[in-house]
Amino acid sequence: MTSVQGKSNRYDFKSIETKWQNIWKENKTYRTTEDATGEKYYVLEMFPYPSGRIHMGHVRNYSIGDVVARYKRLRGFNVLHPMGWDAFGLPAENAALKNNSHPAVWTYDNIDYMRRQLCQLGLSYDWDREIATCNPEYYRWEQLIFLEMWERGIIYQKVTTVNWCESCQTVLANEQVIEGACWRCDQPVLARKMNGWFFKITDYAEELLADLDKLSGWPEKVVTMQRNWIGKSVGFNCAFQVDGLETAISIFTTRPDTIFGVTFMSIAPEHPLVESLIQGYEKQQEVISFVEQIITEKQRKSLDEEPEKKGIFTGRFCTHPFNGKKIPIFIANFVLMEYGTGAVMAVPAHDERDFEFARKYHLDIVPVIIPEGVQLIADEMEQAYTGPGFLASSGPFTGLPSEEAKQSIIAHAVEHQFGSPQVTYRLRDWGISRQRYWGAPIPMLHCEKCGVQPVSRKDLPVVLPEDSDPVSSKCDPLHQRPAFYTTTCPVCSGPARRETDTMDTFVESSWYFARYASPRFTDAPLDKKKASYWLPVDQYIGGVEHAILHLLYSRFFTKVLRDLGYLDIDEPFTNLLTQGMVIKDGSKMSKSKGNVVDPHDLISEYGADTVRLFSLFAAPPEKDLEWNAQGVEGASRFINRLYRFIETHKVHCNSEIDTAKELSESGRLLHRKTHQTIRRVTENIEYNFHFNTAISAVMELFNTLTDCTDTSKGTTAETHIVKNALEVILVLLSPMVPHFSAEMWEILGHKDSIETAAWPEFDAQAAKEDQITLVIQVQGKVRSRLDVPADIEEDKLVKLALSDENVLKYIAGQKIKKTIVVKKKLVNIVI
């Protein structure tokens, strides 16, 4: 193997990057197998949707993961670093139609193009493990998992009100509705009742919540977001009998102490009792119109957006279970059918939302929790009182402290059999039905005689129908394809209709990380032995926008796969890094804002290593990266400076080296700086992935190296110290700029690739600064001197100063106001 670099003063990145990419590909350098002798390390970036071109966000995300992978290999770990494609979904379908293509053709063409782009970045993936979720060899196992979940009762069907996008002809999750519009096409979202398939993620709600405590390697922000999304509430359930109907309204509350303050009942517009409540009411049509209006408005608002309080009386009353009072029943726009029971006992004196509603519609306000020493008068209240206190106007519970009253009221309801303690969750079951073509078919069918039946396992995979003319295909959804849905029942052999919904693409991304452990295994979804070796993922990397759904669903699927016998773990990702966005002109890069920088152009002009170096150096990975063209130029200049230095000194570095003589001052300085840099870079990568400060430390070392080899500044460092510093620089930089480091390593005379090198060991003794003498002052006057290491930490220095005998004499027990430290000069104690 020989260097391709000529005698130019500028680094020829094009030929060198091509050379090393070919070597890595031909040698399968990053192919990984299970190795019982080495400690495994599984690093994974969230796999991309094959949109056609990578963007700077991809570059940053994948460069971060690649640094971790390469660093861990140099530390001796057996590293798994795979890549694949989240290939199903509506965007591919829409883009294919727009480009007069077929989703399969469009998707696989994009995969080929993006794979070449990723290879151009020098990313150290094991491409033998590549997966695409649209491949039947992948989703056949997803269909099998679906059937096993069905057999265990983790899957069911129900009719529900869904977010429907008429333009996309599909159901949207609540999170996919942005200000009333579809997140994909920006068209208005409608409410529609539809039969759909659901995963019972709520069966795992308590475990999903409890296991968050195990995720010490996750950002606290993400853990909190998941905790809030699951939303556990401990409280009380009771029933209010509806007058004139043989039914009751069930409510859940975390404040049973306020139940005597209920003055009206609020129910969601979608509540199943609405129709019977308004039957025969003179204003029935008015109520129906109101309900339709509110449901439409709900689809068009974010879940976090607080709407203006609106309501309408149903014409019905219910009976308070504790005091027998008649309570009017209202339909209110702020009550969510998805949370609790879809009905809320309204206590306007002690809930701000209820207070505003009561004031607006002139409803009674009855204070029943009174803070000590304060009198609450309903007509004088300007807002609800939500704090603790003592019960008032609460029958036999009057006078009790509010916390004590909660338990007494629950006990009373249990004794009289109209209420009970209850735990509820904000988390709802996961609706996975989608009504489009480009997705994994759901392996179920419908028989008029036998009902819903699973597809026989021997018939898996249920494959998407191929179009005879892919170019002219309109991607008709499966319910418009009789050849697909016409089938026979596996039980009675009679006519049956195949399920025409496809799965939410979040299903594919909820278990792909496990399939990477055995992507070519043909007997089951996972090879349990290999999965046990590799999982869990040691380091997962991706955007914070996936903090809730993708990560929550992946955690759920891991627990399901465990219960199905495929995995031995409870959680999929030990450590999580959520990288920031790439910002340009004050906002996230996007085509719509016209501020996109194409990585292809940058790589063509500067090379992959420069682009990688900039993306890693510009900001810590968890922070947003502000695009800066000067930053790219700076990264390029650094690489070229280092190249010219190596070209100049390579002859001396390859000559015979005498290590016997004592080091010069420059030699000692460079040797010390080398080991200080090893420590800084190792700590910055190992503990917080602050690659920016790691790169800065290497740059500082290179500056010291330059100074210590400058003959105009006096005695230069010894050759072996220079060569060692250069080798350390290249190994420390190799995870960030792999092509450059590999080439320069070869230029320095190494026969083996830098890939086989070991991460340099930090020598604490070598890194230790020389001893210096510091002055110790009390009130600005010299009272003592201390001989200390030049790199002593400030707090240790202050402790030494305050324990010095001479200093103690002058302090004489007086209070110390402050200590002033002037680095490497003095400590002044002010009393």
Side-chain angles (χ1 to χ4, degrees):
M1 198 187 306
T2 57
S3 169
V4 300
Q5 186 68 42
K7 294 184 178 181
S8 169
N9 284 331
R10 191 158 185 84
Y11 174 64
D12 180 11
F13 64 82
K14 289 186 178 179
S15 59
I16 288 171
E17 290 181 354
T18 300
K19 164 189 167 180
W20 287 101
Q21 288 163 17
N22 289 336
I23 289 171
W24 296 331
K25 181 179 180 180
E26 291 167 9
N27 295 341
K28 292 187 179 291
T29 303
Y30 307 113
R31 185 178 182 182
T32 311
T33 58
E34 295 69 38
D35 180 1
T37 62
E39 185 177 353
K40 72 93 180 178
Y41 191 88
Y42 184 0
V43 56
L44 180 65
E45 306 95 66
M46 295 178 186
F47 66 167
Y49 156 66
S51 58
R53 300 179 78 89
I54 64 171
H55 51 67
M56 283 305 297
H58 287 131
V59 172
R60 190 183 191 201
N61 186 23
Y62 304 142
S63 294
I64 291 169
D66 200 49
V67 171
V68 177
R70 290 177 179 277
Y71 166 75
K72 287 294 181 178
R73 288 192 196 97
L74 292 167
R75 296 302 301 262
F77 287 84
N78 185 31
V79 175
L80 173 58
H81 189 210
M83 174 50 70
W85 312 96
D86 191 7
F88 267 142
L90 191 58
E93 198 168 314
N94 288 344
L97 287 172
K98 184 178 179 180
N99 291 280
N100 196 31
S101 182
H102 186 274
V105 174
W106 189 86
T107 297
Y108 281 111
D109 283 350
N110 285 350
I111 286 174
D112 290 342
Y113 187 85
M114 290 179 70
R115 186 191 302 110
R116 289 194 296 272
Q117 286 187 301
L118 295 181
C119 288
Q120 286 177 341
L121 280 169
L123 301 168
S124 60
Y125 293 129
D126 179 356
W127 286 107
D128 285 356
R129 294 175 184 263
E130 180 183 11
I131 58 175
T133 59
C134 62
N135 189 322
E137 290 307 308
Y138 179 83
Y139 67 75
R140 69 173 295 185
W141 301 117
E142 185 166 292
Q143 291 173 341
L144 177 61
I145 293 168
F146 184 101
L147 295 180
E148 293 181 347
M149 291 172 70
W150 164 261
E151 291 166 0
R152 285 193 169 230
I154 306 174
I155 295 176
Y156 65 96
Q157 272 190 303
K158 73 172 181 179
V159 175
T160 183
T161 301
V162 298
N163 304 310
W164 176 259
C165 177
E166 187 66 28
S167 172
C168 297
Q169 287 287 296
T170 194
V171 172
L172 302 175
N174 287 336
E175 298 73 31
Q176 296 170 324
V177 179
I178 311 298
E179 296 183 350
C182 173
W183 69 324
R184 293 298 186 191
C185 68
D186 206 32
Q187 294 301 304
V189 172
L190 307 174
R192 174 182 284 191
K193 289 191 180 296
M194 186 175 290
N195 203 32
W197 293 92
F198 287 80
F199 287 168
K200 293 178 72 174
I201 191 173
T202 52
D203 280 3
Y204 289 80
E206 186 58 38
E207 187 182 0
L208 286 166
L209 185 65
D211 283 357
L212 287 172
D213 293 336
K214 298 178 180 179
L215 303 179
S216 58
W218 285 36
E220 188 57 39
K221 175 176 68 173
V222 175
V223 172
T224 299
M225 290 168 75
Q226 292 230 343
R227 198 182 303 281
N228 292 341
W229 189 260
I230 296 168
K232 181 178 181 179
S233 297
V234 179
F236 169 60
N237 179 283
C238 74
F240 286 64
Q241 184 65 40
V242 178
D243 291 2
L245 296 177
E246 293 184 0
T247 189
I249 295 177
S250 177
I251 64 94
F252 170 81
T253 179
T254 58
R255 293 294 305 274
D257 53 323
T258 67
I259 200 163
F260 282 86
V262 175
T263 61
F264 62 97
M265 180 70 66
S266 301
I267 65 172
E270 307 92 338
H271 198 287
L273 286 180
V274 166
E275 187 175 344
S276 57
L277 287 173
I278 64 174
Q279 189 71 39
Y281 181 38
E282 58 183 10
K283 296 184 178 180
Q284 180 176 346
Q285 192 54 49
E286 183 182 338
V287 176
I288 291 172
S289 298
F290 174 84
V291 167
E292 291 174 348
Q293 175 194 346
I294 295 304
I295 289 176
T296 300
E297 287 180 0
K298 277 189 174 185
Q299 309 305 316
R300 298 183 178 181
K301 290 184 182 292
S302 163
L303 284 176
D304 298 324
E305 188 176 345
E306 186 67 25
E308 176 194 351
K309 308 296 181 296
K310 294 180 183 179
I312 193 167
F313 181 48
T314 62
R316 293 274 183 180
F317 291 81
C318 57
T319 302
H320 196 300
F322 281 85
N323 58 23
K325 289 184 177 180
K326 300 302 179 184
I327 306 296
I329 304 170
F330 280 74
I331 298 170
N333 66 335
F334 56 83
V335 181
L336 302 177
M337 194 63 225
E338 298 84 11
Y339 185 67
T341 65
V344 175
M345 65 172 210
V347 186
H350 305 293
D351 181 275
E352 191 60 35
R353 209 169 42 175
D354 296 341
F355 182 87
E356 293 175 16
F357 191 91
R359 284 281 191 249
K360 180 173 181 176
Y361 293 100
H362 310 290
L363 300 168
D364 290 343
I365 297 175
V366 179
V368 293
I369 305 291
I370 311 298
E372 190 171 8
V374 176
Q375 188 177 11
L376 292 182
I377 300 173
D379 291 342
E380 298 177 0
M381 292 178 70
E382 295 181 357
Q383 61 184 25
Y385 173 70
T386 58
F390 295 87
L391 268 65
S393 304
S394 298
F397 308 102
T398 298
L400 288 178
S402 51
E403 284 302 314
E404 180 183 332
K406 289 180 182 179
Q407 301 308 315
S408 299
I409 288 171
I410 292 174
H412 178 85
V414 170
E415 181 182 349
H416 292 84
Q417 300 182 347
F418 63 77
S420 62
Q422 186 177 337
V423 174
T424 65
Y425 299 90
R426 181 177 183 266
L427 180 67
R428 301 290 91 188
D429 283 338
W430 175 9
I432 65 152
S433 289
R434 298 296 180 266
Q435 293 69 44
R436 296 297 290 180
Y437 166 75
W438 192 238
I442 292 175
M444 304 294 286
L445 49 84
H446 305 266
C447 173
E448 288 188 11
K449 180 179 178 181
C450 304
V452 176
Q453 294 294 324
V455 169
S456 174
R457 296 190 184 198
K458 67 180 177 58
D459 293 331
L460 296 181
V462 177
V463 179
L464 283 175
E466 295 183 3
D467 294 295
S468 56
D469 183 4
V471 174
S472 64
S473 169
K474 295 182 180 179
C475 300
D476 294 331
L478 299 182
H479 66 266
Q480 297 177 13
R481 296 171 181 256
F484 172 79
Y485 63 68
T486 303
T487 187
T488 56
C489 175
V491 177
C492 69
S493 299
R497 181 184 176 93
R498 195 181 297 281
E499 174 59 61
T500 56
D501 284 355
T502 52
M503 293 192 222
D504 179 5
T505 54
F506 273 117
V507 179
E508 282 86 66
S509 61
S510 294
W511 72 285
Y512 79 107
F513 51 87
R515 182 65 180 171
Y516 277 138
S518 51
R520 306 294 173 255
F521 193 55
T522 58
D523 296 336
L526 303 172
D527 180 329
K528 188 170 183 179
K529 184 177 180 181
K530 292 184 177 181
S532 296
Y533 176 83
W534 286 115
L535 293 167
V537 175
D538 295 282
Q539 183 65 59
Y540 200 37
I541 302 167
V544 73
E545 66 270 20
H546 301 293
I548 296 178
L549 292 188
H550 165 58
L551 292 173
L552 185 66
Y553 292 158
S554 296
R555 297 180 61 225
F556 162 64
F557 241 76
T558 297
K559 297 174 191 303
V560 169
L561 290 171
R562 175 202 62 197
D563 292 347
L564 294 176
Y566 292 115
L567 295 176
D568 294 323
I569 59 173
D570 298 325
E571 289 290 334
F573 314 120
T574 303
N575 297 290
L576 173 68
L577 172 65
T578 53
Q579 92 280 354
M581 297 183 295
V582 179
I583 306 293
K584 186 172 184 284
D585 303 328
S587 59
K588 180 182 177 181
M589 281 190 183
S590 70
K591 291 180 181 177
S592 62
K593 291 173 181 164
N595 64 351
V596 171
V597 175
D598 191 337
H600 176 76
D601 295 339
L602 289 174
I603 292 170
S604 298
E605 184 173 357
Y606 295 101
D609 281 342
T610 292
V611 177
R612 288 171 60 123
L613 190 66
F614 163 74
S615 70
L616 295 163
F617 183 57
E622 73 277 9
K623 303 291 185 183
D624 289 345
L625 183 157
E626 183 71 39
W627 170 257
N628 183 341
Q630 289 73 33
V632 181
E633 288 280 359
S636 178
R637 285 196 300 272
F638 172 70
I639 288 176
N640 277 281
R641 278 184 61 215
L642 184 51
Y643 158 69
R644 288 193 295 271
F645 185 94
I646 293 172
E647 278 291 310
T648 301
H649 291 81
K650 64 183 180 183
V651 175
H652 305 295
C653 290
N654 289 329
S655 62
E656 191 172 323
I657 294 171
D658 179 14
T659 60
K661 63 182 182 180
E662 185 177 341
L663 294 180
S664 64
E665 183 178 347
S666 292
R668 290 199 306 274
L669 172 62
L670 180 56
H671 187 55
R672 181 166 60 244
K673 187 68 173 179
T674 299
H675 282 274
Q676 291 172 344
T677 303
I678 293 170
R679 178 179 62 187
R680 284 181 60 191
V681 173
T682 303
E683 290 176 351
N684 284 324
I685 296 178
E686 190 74 41
Y687 301 121
N688 55 22
F689 295 154
H690 279 191
F691 310 123
N692 58 322
T693 52
I695 294 168
S696 178
V698 175
M699 289 176 171
E700 288 179 22
L701 173 58
F702 180 54
N703 289 338
T704 301
L705 173 60
T706 303
D707 289 342
C708 290
T709 54
D710 186 347
T711 55
S712 68
K713 294 184 178 180
T715 307
T716 58
E718 288 71 15
T719 301
H720 69 285
I721 298 297
V722 172
K723 182 178 183 182
N724 180 63
L726 268 178
E727 290 175 341
V728 166
I729 286 173
L730 292 177
V731 175
L732 296 183
L733 281 179
S734 64
M736 294 86 162
V737 287
H739 312 87
F740 174 85
S741 299
E743 183 71 11
M744 297 302 103
W745 187 258
E746 187 177 277
I747 284 176
L748 288 182
H750 292 279
K751 302 300 182 186
D752 295 328
S753 167
I754 198 170
E755 304 284 340
T756 64
W759 190 258
E761 292 293 329
F762 163 66
D763 184 337
Q765 192 61 36
K768 192 175 181 180
E769 291 278 3
D770 294 336
Q771 290 285 110
I772 59 173
T773 301
L774 290 178
V775 168
I776 311 299
Q777 298 177 339
V778 178
Q779 297 293 86
K781 295 183 178 180
V782 177
R783 299 305 185 189
S784 188
R785 287 179 171 80
L786 289 176
D787 291 327
V788 296
D791 61 344
I792 189 171
E793 295 175 4
E794 187 172 307
D795 58 342
K796 291 181 180 178
L797 176 59
V798 171
K799 285 181 181 179
L800 283 174
L802 292 175
S803 63
D804 184 86
E805 289 186 8
N806 289 332
V807 171
L808 289 171
K809 280 195 304 183
Y810 288 99
I811 294 176
Q814 298 179 73
K815 184 178 179 181
I816 298 171
K817 292 182 180 178
K818 61 181 177 178
T819 56
I820 302 169
V821 177
V822 179
K823 195 172 182 182
K824 296 188 178 182
K825 288 188 177 181
L826 61 84
V827 177
N828 183 25
I829 300 164
V830 181
I831 55 177

